[in-house]
Amino acid sequence: MTQDTLLAPAAGDLAAEDTRWWRDAVIYQVYVRSFADSDGDGVGDLPGIRSRLPYLAGLGVDALWLTPFYVSPMADFGYDVADYRDVDPLFGTLADARDLIADAHAHGLRIIADIVPNHTSDRHAWFRAALAAPPGSPERARYIFRDGRGPDGAQPPNDWESVFGGPAWTRLPDGQWYLHLFAPEQPDLNWENPEVHAEFADVLKFWLDLGVDGFRVDVAHGMAKAPGLPDVGHADQVEMLGTAVLPYFDQDAVHGIHREWRRLLDSYDGERIAVAEAWAPTPERLAAYTRPDELHQAFNFHYLTAPWEAPGMREVIEESLRTAEAVGAPATWVLSNHDVKRHVTRYGGGERGLRRARAAALLTLALPGSSYVYQGEELGLPEVLDLPEEFQQDPQRLRGEGAGRDGCRVPLPWEGEEPPFGFGAGAASWLPIPTAWRDLTVAAQRDDPGSMLALYHEALRIRREHPALGDGDLRWLTGPPGTLVFVREAGDGDRRLACAINMGDRTVRVRVHGSPLLASGPLDVDGEHVHLPPDTALWWDAEEIA
Ligand code: GLC
């Protein structure tokens, strides 16, 4: 049996589905460069994704978020866009994008494109024009150019740091400086300029007309800067997914842009959505991005960074639910993405990391709201920590040892005994895949009921079918120390699903009134109780709330 026939359910019919699909969608993040390579050049591409749609539909996710595939010099792997209305030749053509969207829809999968509005590439036509134009010109007014400080303007205009390290300003030969919160190849746009608003509205329409179901908004907290660009006043300002209060992130003015975009999305049929990648100091500030007239969802990095211990985790979950509910938005849950160390490794690596990642999958997929799955987490991929120096390319690596994000972007192993494990037809992949991943390929896990892939497959099936999962409320039950126990109830109170996770270091006894549905690891059942080992989670169909 091929993997496609084994995993493929009947294709969904998007048009006939209930509305508000995004309130409980499971959205799979495709890091385009590293998913599947159709032309053998070692880099993933759009036709590669298209060829693997049966796998994704079979896994049971609802939508795909594709990282940027637009024309780009790739200084930040596509997050430096030179042309927002075309596909980079490395990834395919506009026709490939159109075909992928149509084919995904035929498989019952929605497509979320990644839009990068905080900055362009330095090769974007606008920035080239700005460089060619004099200080004070309308061309420069689309970006953030300033004169420097000090007697001859040789000091940067303020003390802001780039997320990738070093000053956030670069000086031009004519003496002016331009702002880049990320790499120097990513100049920040000036969102006080109406031309920038008009251009992005047009870009969004371009992709909406092509059929995308929504956008992931890159650095959605960055477009508005504090008036006067004041100094921060202290060092160590910014980190990826950070929570620091800064004059260049999470400014109130940014919400005006999101309101404008919401009106645009609402003018289209088919419930097109937007999800904010916003780094906010608190869950409250994060929820503001999902007020009814703003974006639909925001990534919950407070959950991603929560410690592996029950009280801390519970606090983050409660606060996320409370703040999302206060604005009427669904909470979202995410464990990994292309910017952070993979969670198998964050949770301790090896057997323990894997055990925890399995338990975390059940916890995450049982929580109310929408969940994100980063490609490869369904295979239990760890971070690759020993990538040879010559392969490391992420601009963030310049922040120092271990700071690079290449290790979570290693291509997916699909099948076979040798790298690149069916990733592409060529002999190599842009980042080398560890030989040890031969045991982690899709093909190796597909028929193994104890595999991570089988766990995700089963959890997603239950999540789709069980009326108590997805959108709704959660009720905490009392469990032994070190555990989280909660129940989800269907609207009519008829069906309940309970989840228990043991985040402590000793086996505990939990009362399970009902029938066990899915466990993340081995456990003993003893009448109405289970002995739940450390780092293990269980779902059961709850007959009553204990
Ligand atoms: C976001 C992306 C990250 C990128 C940065 C700059 O945080 O997720 O990969 O480097 O924005 O665009």
Side-chain angles (χ1 to χ4, degrees), residues 31 33 85 153 262-263 274 290 367 417 445 457 483 491 493 535:
Y31 190 70
R33 235 185 133 74
R85 294 181 187 80
R262 178 60 179 259
R263 285 194 294 276
T290 57
L367 293 172
E417 298 298 312
Q445 300 197 34
H457 193 239
T483 64
D535 304 329

Side-chain angles (χ1 to χ4, degrees), residues 139-156:
E139 287 83 355
R140 289 208 174 176
R142 294 168 177 148
Y143 293 90
I144 303 178
F145 283 88
R146 292 287 186 278
D147 293 329
R149 293 201 282 208
D152 49 7
Q155 301 301 315

Side-chain angles (χ1 to χ4, degrees), residues 31 65 76 79-80 114 116 118-119 164 182 186 216 218-219 221 240-241 277 279 337-339 394-396 405 409:
Y31 190 70
W65 148 32
D76 189 19
Y79 284 99
D80 48 323
D114 205 324
V116 188
N118 179 68
H119 42 265
F164 295 153
F182 292 86
Q186 294 167 295
R216 176 250 188 202
D218 188 66
V219 195
H221 57 304
M240 233 345 145
L241 317 191
E277 185 227 11
W279 318 346
N337 66 27
H338 66 294
D339 290 330
D394 175 24
Q396 189 172 276
R405 298 165 293 176
R409 299 172 174 181

Side-chain angles (χ1 to χ4, degrees), residues 155-236:
Q155 301 301 315
N158 66 25
D159 68 354
W160 295 2
E161 279 176 16
S162 145
V163 175
F164 295 153
W169 297 90
T170 289
R171 196 173 197 198
L172 299 174
D174 65 22
Q176 272 214 314
W177 298 74
Y178 70 89
L179 178 70
H180 52 86
L181 293 180
F182 292 86
E185 295 88 349
Q186 294 167 295
D188 277 53
L189 285 161
N190 172 19
W191 276 88
E192 288 179 11
N193 185 335
E195 229 191 307
V196 175
H197 288 248
E199 170 66 4
F200 272 86
D202 200 64
V203 167
L204 295 184
K205 283 187 206 155
F206 178 86
W207 291 101
L208 291 166
D209 290 339
L210 219 81
V212 304
D213 300 283
F215 299 98
R216 176 250 188 202
V217 184
D218 188 66
V219 195
H221 57 304
M223 288 105 94
K225 277 77 179 173
L229 312 184
D231 279 340
V232 172
H234 55 83
D236 296 331

